[in-house]
Amino acid sequence: MQQTVKPRVGAPTPVAKPTTSYWIKAFPNATKPIMDRPAPSLSGQPRPSLPQAADVVIIGGGIAGVSTAYHLRKSRPDLKVVLMEARQLSHGATGRNGGLLWPALNAPWVKTADRYGNMEASRMMAFELQCLSEVNQFIKTNGLEEEVRHAPFGDGGFYVYETKEEMDSELAELELMQRFGIHTDVEPLSRLETSTLFGTDAFVGAVRQPGVSRVWAARLVHALARMAAGAGPPEGLVVAENTRVAAITPLSYDRPEGQGLGPEDVDAGRSYHQRGSPAPSGSWQSTAVNAANNILPRSPAATVDQSSCTEALDTASSPLLKVTTDTGESLLARRVVHCTNAYGSSLLPELRDALVPVRNHVAATSAPGTASAAPAPTFPLDAAFFARGGYVYWSRREDGRVVVGGFRDVVPDLEWGVYDDASLHERIRQELHAYLPDRFPSVFGGGMNPEVEWSGILGFTQDRFPFVGPVPGRRGQFIAAGFSGHGMTRTFTCGRVLADMVSGLPCDPNFPETWLPAAERFGPAAPTVPGPEAAAGSPDV
């Protein structure tokens, strides 16, 4: 099965367009999640000095940004990379989610297939499984299981159904997917089987999916950052926390007038362009086949049209960008990579309606056996759960704690367009506290009694698939954002793909072309996934 995105039966009518005024603000006093963050800055300084210039500037210190930095350092250790984070590493959505590695399409199969075709929808799911395999293998190969608390759920993952109508709809969609070889290992459970297994009569049925894992995402980010630092010369990577980027300005050293650039900017741009940066023979700077975003052509066997992510560029030139922080510091860069997810529109205003912030609420019980105000419940299954089409989820952590989140569907605006992760919605808190005790009274009879509660900001797109690749119309700028609440499975590999694009290496032929940023994908995102007519802008929808 996959997470469908639709309001629960009886939910208020959702709004279609965000009205928030928090478009460019990251809240300084955010709620504190359960996941601890190990070290502060790799430099040992709260805010290190920035170099005058870099080959690549990455904006965003979540898993997408840090994975991009890691893979760039692995493939091109000669490059100068600067990673900037407005708060601290993993302080955004990465460090605030439930830590589930759950392979799913994350959008309704029928609408996705209608819009992109059955074969492309199948390719997306195949790449999803590749992403899961890569992150699992990376953790295992580097011996990080204990550090990042990574392990498969012993009992798997369950989609549970509260109504027969919901179950029939979901099982019909599952049948369609299985015709294309997707989720053939998913096991439907009857009401009696579900009741017997769960010890409750709260659900009319369920399906069990194997291969679902858990991880502490914040710990994974810090492990990646540490490994990125060790993957090349120490001076080749600068991690600048507490550094918010305020502007990115294309630098034309030939015609500076009208661009708001001073003489020092022009001189610096000319000097840096002429100096260049070290590059091995055969790299993107010495090849006769160059492109605006330094992406080399793919092999003839590749399935993605290379022209979709390249622009013609004279081999003697390279785009230069001035990156300015909110304190007025600046540096020059050949490439800028946007990995700020929901905050992407602060620097790319064309994404304001296409990349929408959505606030999510999460809570965790105390670990069994620890001192707390009330005895901590012990959940009977080592598993993860989705309910109400993905609006509700919970899982058991490796230490016995239960993490539960979601419940946006109980408020009229579905937390759509909200950037504030420094507060919690009281109505959502009430529903979140009551859900498991109502359905598992034998486990949570004394109430849930959460030890900690927090909120996090997700970035949603119209089709629920991310934007990964060059930003249309902005030479030298790339993006990995819009993971729509499903980034844990995909972001590690998307960081690798993005690093290959930026550094000029052949791109993974399995990467879905439909995930490339494109004007036709920048339509307004809405709380429900539109069908093909709405995606095409039909006035009848």
Side-chain angles (χ1 to χ4, degrees), residues 49 54 70 90 108 146 166 191 221 235-236 283 297 329 332 338 346 371 388 405 429 453 507 512 524:
S49 298
Y70 167 76
S90 75
E146 179 61 27
E166 178 191 18
R191 181 167 196 158
V221 165
E235 67 276 8
S283 74
E329 291 180 276
L332 300 177
H338 299 261
S346 64
R388 296 215 296 249
R429 291 185 68 231
E453 298 178 68
C507 196

Side-chain angles (χ1 to χ4, degrees), residues 502-517:
V502 170
S503 61
L505 296 174
C507 196
D508 189 333
N510 297 322
F511 174 72
E513 184 176 3
T514 44
W515 290 9
L516 289 168

Side-chain angles (χ1 to χ4, degrees), residues 467-541:
F467 303 135
V468 181
V471 180
R474 293 183 181 268
R475 291 182 60 205
Q477 298 190 50
F478 294 75
I479 188 171
F483 289 93
S484 303
H486 193 68
M488 278 310 305
T489 309
R490 296 171 176 169
T491 39
F492 176 82
T493 297
C494 284
R496 174 184 62 76
V497 170
L498 202 59
D500 289 345
M501 290 180 178
V502 170
S503 61
L505 296 174
C507 196
D508 189 333
N510 297 322
F511 174 72
E513 184 176 3
T514 44
W515 290 9
L516 289 168
E520 58 268 23
R521 292 191 61 213
F522 290 171
T528 56
V529 179
E533 298 84 4
S538 170
D540 298 327
V541 178

